[in-house]
Amino acid sequence: MDQLLAQIEQYKKEIEASVVTNKEELEAFRIKYLGTKGLMKSIMGEMKNVPVDQKKEAGQMLNEFKVFTESFFETLSANIGSTESTAASSSIDTTLPGQPLPLGTRHPISIVQNKIISIFQRLGFSVAEGPEIEDDWHNFTALNLPENHPARDMQDTFYISQNPDWLLRTHTSSVQIREMEKNELPLRIICPGRVYRNETISARAHCFFNQVEGLYIAENVSFADLKQTLYFFVKEMFGQDVKIRFRPSYFPFTEPSAEMDISCLICGGEGCSVCKRTGWVEILGCGMVHPSVLDNCGIDSNKYTGFAFGLGIERITMLSYQVKDLRLFSENDVRFLKQFTQA
Ligand SMILES: [Zn+2]
């Protein structure tokens, strides 16, 4: 067995050192190694001397050697072919047009995300990004969600078992914290990105989805600024006729907090199954940044104020294109995806 291996190694070196410059030499190579009385035949014959328990291994070894020799021969013959004659290539008509490659389409989530980003960029917001694996401080504690806070249950997520301080971020608010900690004010950013929640997957919920959050911090920022900004966004996104309304809500990181509805795009406010007969559809949460959050990031909450908002891109996409099932976005079904060709 060892002897066989040594022999093969020896032959491999010999083959690799072979120099072939014309067809005669190529043929000589073929006869020597691959011919009916060639080396390959004789070395294959060695198989009968190999003990039964080693036959499998030896067979594999010989097979690899055979493939090696044959492909080496192919390479040699291709080299000879290209130097000796180009007659074969003249049968290819290089003036024929190529095969067209099918163009892909942008993913609907990307289309909507880009549209949202471009609207806010026109208002002077810049894009900020951060890690999807976060630590507890940036995802929860700095946002006024200390350990054992009941609101943490609303955002159950996935923890990294080797380090329970690490988790998959539940919102892109963690990026806002990272930006605020840089203390470069005024701050006007939007944070798009993927977020995670430990949710049962259904037509309306998934364990991951995409968000865009916004943050504006400066002196004398008021709720009126928040309203005007979101009003502009909604008109640009959904059209001039869409109405908005704010409902009081609660988030630990904003005070006061609100949820914003738009008039139903399907029925125009008359009431239908999408808006559950109310005429309104909830699209985002928002509020004035809680002073404790500013303090946590080293920003003087007596001097500065700010507003923040967050919305789910899937929800906006479902409304915009009347997609009924959230799971379609992550199933990679080309029949679904190729319907979004306008990008
Ligand atoms: Zn409706």
Side-chain angles (χ1 to χ4, degrees), residues 60-294:
Q60 269 175 355
M61 238 158 57
L62 284 169
N63 211 31
E64 275 166 30
F65 178 54
K66 188 165 175 245
V67 171
F68 166 81
T69 312
E70 283 169 351
S71 71
F72 199 85
F73 175 74
E74 293 290 323
T75 314
L76 288 177
S77 100
N79 290 343
I80 294 288
S82 64
T83 53
E84 281 221 330
S85 152
T86 52
S89 61
S90 64
S91 63
I92 298 167
D93 182 355
T94 53
T95 62
L96 281 172
Q99 299 283 343
L101 287 172
L103 261 187
T105 54
R106 236 178 250 284
H107 194 282
I109 296 291
S110 302
I111 296 172
V112 172
Q113 177 174 302
N114 290 347
K115 192 171 172 190
I116 295 171
I117 289 173
S118 81
I119 292 170
F120 282 107
Q121 276 178 335
R122 274 183 272 151
L123 289 173
F125 285 79
S126 56
V127 173
E129 288 180 307
E132 290 183 21
I133 300 174
E134 261 300 356
D135 53 37
D136 185 281
W137 169 258
H138 290 97
N139 195 80
F140 288 129
T141 309
L143 284 153
N144 225 9
L145 280 148
E147 216 178 324
N148 305 322
H149 193 290
R152 278 198 183 204
D153 291 344
M154 285 155 47
Q155 298 192 6
D156 190 16
T157 185
F158 304 99
Y159 289 85
I160 312 295
S161 59
Q162 284 158 321
N163 186 343
D165 191 44
W166 290 352
L167 50 96
L168 295 181
R169 66 181 180 191
T170 59
H171 43 198
T172 56
S173 308
S174 52
V175 184
Q176 300 186 2
I177 297 295
R178 287 179 180 277
E179 291 296 315
M180 283 193 276
E181 283 173 343
K182 291 178 187 165
N183 265 314
E184 291 161 4
L185 297 169
L187 186 61
R188 186 151 43 181
I189 50 165
I190 45 169
C191 316
R194 179 177 284 190
V195 301
Y196 303 82
R197 305 262 172 105
N198 187 6
E199 298 235 11
T200 310
I201 296 168
S202 71
R204 304 194 66 80
H206 211 298
C207 58
F208 62 84
F209 56 97
N210 293 272
Q211 273 194 331
V212 174
E213 293 197 356
L215 175 71
Y216 177 34
I217 295 175
E219 289 179 55
N220 302 318
V221 177
S222 72
F223 202 91
D225 298 311
L226 167 64
K227 265 181 105 167
Q228 198 55 41
T229 303
L230 293 178
Y231 203 49
F232 175 82
F233 163 67
V234 165
K235 298 247 163 190
E236 291 294 307
M237 191 75 202
F238 300 107
Q240 296 298 313
D241 300 331
V242 176
K243 296 186 196 65
I244 60 171
R245 75 172 184 188
F246 289 84
R247 283 178 291 110
S249 184
Y250 169 76
F251 303 109
F253 29 79
T254 47
E255 179 61 37
S257 307
E259 271 168 281
M260 194 182 82
D261 303 337
I262 59 171
S263 53
C264 179
L265 300 170
I266 314 283
C267 63
E270 301 274 303
C272 68
S273 63
V274 172
C275 58
K276 298 187 190 118
R277 317 265 158 224
T278 62
W280 295 95
V281 185
E282 181 200 325
I283 64 159
L284 60 80
C286 58
M288 301 304 292
V289 179
H290 198 290
S292 311
V293 175
L294 295 175

Side-chain angles (χ1 to χ4, degrees), residues 7-24:
Q7 220 174 1
I8 287 176
E9 288 305 318
Q10 173 75 31
Y11 288 140
K12 267 191 175 175
K13 280 193 190 120
E14 197 181 305
I15 288 169
E16 278 172 332
S18 305
V19 181
V20 168
T21 53
N22 54 43
K23 280 193 171 161
E24 288 70 38

